[in-house]
Each structure stands twice: as C-alpha cells, then as structure tokens.
Amino acid sequence: MKIKECEIKIRTLEAEKAGLNIDESQRYDEINKEILELKKEAYSNLEPWDRVYLARHQDRPKASDYISLLIDDFYELHGDRCYGDDNALIGGIGTFKGIPVTVLAQAKGKTLEENLKRNFGMMNPEGYRKALRLAKEAEKFHRPIINIVDTAGAYPGKGAEERGQAEAIAKCLYEFSNLKTPVISVVISEGGSGGALALSVADRIVMLENAIYSVLSPEGFASILWKDESRAEEASKYMRLTSYDLYEKGIIDHIIKEPAGGAQNGLEYVVAQIAVYIETELKELIQKKDRLLIRERFLKYRKIGMI
C-alpha cells in the first residue's frame, strides 16, 4: 500500500473514531487496531515513490525548525551586497554545542503565504551569492559551516537567468570546493538538481532517511525520457534517489533515521541524531590543517562514480 493511500484511509478512520459515542468502546478499539495495521503495512517496505511523497509532505519539518533546535543564539544576516536579499535562503551565525558556526539553509514555507515569500525554497542568483558571501566570511573567521539542503531546484525564471543563475551556482561549486573551513551538509527533504548541489560540496554529506537527492525531479525525468510526466512513480525507481541508494553509491556519508511516517512524527528524535553526528564530525574536522581538509574534500568527490 502506498503511503498516500494509507494516510487517506487513516484520516477516514480517525474521523469515524471522533464521531463515536462513549459507549462504543469496542469499535474505538477496532479502529485503533486497523490504524496500527495500516501503518505497519505501509511503512514496512517503502518504495522510492513513497519516500518522494514523504520528502514533499506538507507537514515535514522545514529548515527553520532545525535551526531553532540545533543552533543557539542564531543571528540572521541578509543580502548579497550586489542585488538584494533572497528569502529562499536563511543565512546567519550562531553556536552549535558552544562552537561558533555559520548556517546556510534553503528554506521552504509552512503556509502558502510563507512559501510565496520564500519562493518555495527555490533560490535566485542573489541567494547563492549571499551563501557564498557568508561562506567566505566563515572561512575568514575559521567558523565551520552547516548547510541545510531543501529545494526542488534553483529558480528557473527569466529574471534569475538574466542575473546569472548558472554563474552563481558554478561559483558556489568552485569556491566551496576550496574553502579553508569544515563544511557539513544535511539534506532534510528534497535535494534537487544544481540548486541543491551548490550547497552540497562539503566534507560530510548526510541525508534524512526519507529525503531524496537527484539531478532532477521524477516528473522532470519522466517528461524528458518518456515525454510523459504521469510516469513519475516509475521514474523514481530508476533514478536511485533515496538515501539508501546514495549511501550505497558512496555519495553521502551517513543516513539519519526517521520515525515511521516521517520526521514530522518525531522531530526531536531526528534532531538528536543530527546533533550527535555533527558534533562528532566537527571535532575531527576542525583539527585538520587547511591543506589536508581541502585535499580530502577533493578526493571525496573524485571517488564518486567509482563504486
């Protein structure tokens, strides 16, 4: 059973349960049992398309949720010092476990109004230039960088192209590969195309269990390959875009486990794992000399595709 179908059935059962009288305890227990069985069946063997659905789930925690739980004394910084500020990127400084850090987070909204403000997490060139400005500042002050990746892709609008979208992404790829400070990237939901890759050149890349990371969306893949967007579910099976696929390929370094049904059902549990991983890795990375850090980052990406 698909996750989406399971959720529809569960909502129907929950509505029925809410309408029961106090003397209908037997039916109440039967509904709870049915819901438990549905969840067990749906979550026991997730298909790639199920993980795509969970990665895009409307209740899935956003970058701001992770920042508030992971980072103390966060202070947001704005603007690319060239054109303007991009609300699709939250960038700023704070402390993680007492360590000063720079945070760069692709931000989706929780409501339609907020999503419009943040352009659904799709960054413009000024967003990538803001990210690069803050990354170079972090390098200057020897602050580790924590990137939070969550975007369907870079914004493909006419204005973005006119202002140098491709150049801005390429500059991020080039500069992040040589940054003299540790970089850890966490893919929390969608990691789509060059929009995600621009913040994914890092010493460590981790993914939440139900996140996805790929060159394009399943719908885009299906449209290009078969000229039929409706075959997106089939495309997701061929794309190898799940966390387990990418870990097997050696593209990511670690998988953050999620509770059944996704991170929204246990955000504290997910954040605790992320915190332990980042703390462990930062202790190692900040001890490395700059030349060794860059050399190991270079070798990490040279190995991709060899497995």
Side-chain angles (χ1 to χ4, degrees):
M1 179 186 294
K2 301 298 181 189
I3 295 290
K4 190 173 183 178
E5 295 171 7
C6 173
E7 289 189 347
I8 292 171
K9 289 186 178 181
I10 288 174
R11 281 197 294 269
T12 302
L13 290 169
E14 291 284 5
E16 182 186 344
K17 188 169 71 171
L20 293 175
N21 296 321
I22 194 168
D23 58 344
E24 296 179 283
S25 59
Q26 183 178 349
R27 179 54 185 158
Y28 188 92
D29 292 338
E30 288 174 357
I31 290 175
N32 282 337
K33 188 176 180 180
E34 284 182 56
I35 291 173
L36 190 63
E37 289 298 320
L38 281 170
K39 287 182 177 180
K40 186 177 179 180
E41 179 186 351
Y43 301 142
S44 61
N45 188 24
L46 296 179
E47 296 290 329
W49 188 242
D50 293 321
R51 297 196 190 278
V52 172
Y53 173 73
L54 288 174
R56 296 170 173 174
H57 199 285
Q58 61 182 4
D59 296 329
R60 194 166 178 85
K62 306 301 188 287
S64 57
D65 298 312
Y66 291 96
I67 292 173
S68 65
L69 292 173
L70 283 170
I71 308 300
D72 296 321
D73 305 316
F74 182 71
Y75 185 82
E76 187 173 359
L77 300 170
H78 298 275
D80 67 343
R81 304 297 187 267
C82 179
Y83 178 82
D85 190 38
D86 188 349
N87 288 315
L89 180 83
I90 298 173
I93 56 177
T95 57
F96 170 79
K97 304 288 185 180
I99 303 171
V101 295
T102 290
V103 179
L104 303 173
Q106 292 171 325
K108 293 179 181 178
K110 296 183 179 182
T111 63
L112 177 58
E113 182 181 18
E114 190 179 357
N115 262 320
L116 290 171
K117 175 186 174 183
R118 297 200 178 280
N119 203 28
F120 295 85
M122 296 185 292
M123 290 164 59
N124 279 282
E126 48 271 23
Y128 294 107
R129 291 179 180 128
K130 175 168 71 171
L132 186 55
R133 176 177 77 83
L134 297 181
K136 297 300 285 186
E137 178 192 86
E139 179 184 54
K140 178 179 179 180
F141 294 103
H142 304 288
R143 285 195 302 265
I145 299 171
I146 298 173
N147 291 331
I148 298 177
V149 177
D150 183 14
T151 184
Y155 184 58
K158 181 175 181 286
E161 296 298 336
E162 289 174 342
R163 296 194 300 277
Q165 184 73 289
E167 184 272 344
I169 292 173
K171 195 72 179 292
C172 276
L173 297 176
Y174 177 79
E175 294 291 352
F176 269 89
S177 65
N178 289 291
L179 277 180
K180 298 181 180 70
T181 195
V183 183
I184 296 178
S185 289
V186 184
V187 184
I188 61 170
S189 296
E190 285 188 280
S193 192
L197 187 60
L199 294 186
S200 300
V201 178
D203 302 293
R204 302 287 186 271
I205 304 178
V206 299
M207 286 178 68
L208 268 62
E209 186 177 13
N210 294 316
I212 58 174
Y213 186 46
S214 63
V215 67
L216 78 170
S217 68
E219 291 84 359
F221 182 101
S223 295
I224 292 170
L225 191 63
W226 300 309
K227 311 300 181 188
D228 184 0
E229 186 177 312
S230 66
R231 295 175 67 179
E233 180 177 348
E234 182 183 353
S236 68
K237 296 178 181 179
Y238 291 103
M239 293 177 70
R240 306 291 302 277
L241 45 60
T242 71
S243 59
Y244 292 98
D245 294 325
L246 293 160
Y247 183 76
E248 183 183 335
K249 293 178 182 179
I251 293 174
I252 67 169
D253 302 291
H254 185 71
I255 297 172
I256 303 294
K257 296 291 185 180
E258 297 184 39
Q264 65 272 17
N265 293 329
L267 178 58
E268 291 78 9
Y269 169 71
V270 173
V271 168
Q273 293 179 77
I274 295 174
V276 169
Y277 181 83
I278 292 177
E279 183 178 17
T280 302
E281 295 302 317
L282 279 185
K283 283 181 179 177
E284 177 186 341
L285 291 170
I286 60 179
Q287 299 298 322
K288 296 181 184 292
K289 293 186 181 297
D290 294 343
R291 290 182 63 184
L292 178 60
L293 191 71
I294 294 172
R295 176 65 179 168
E296 289 183 351
R297 193 183 301 152
F298 171 79
L299 293 175
K300 172 182 174 63
Y301 285 89
R302 288 291 291 174
K303 288 178 183 176
I304 291 177
M306 296 175 66
I307 296 177

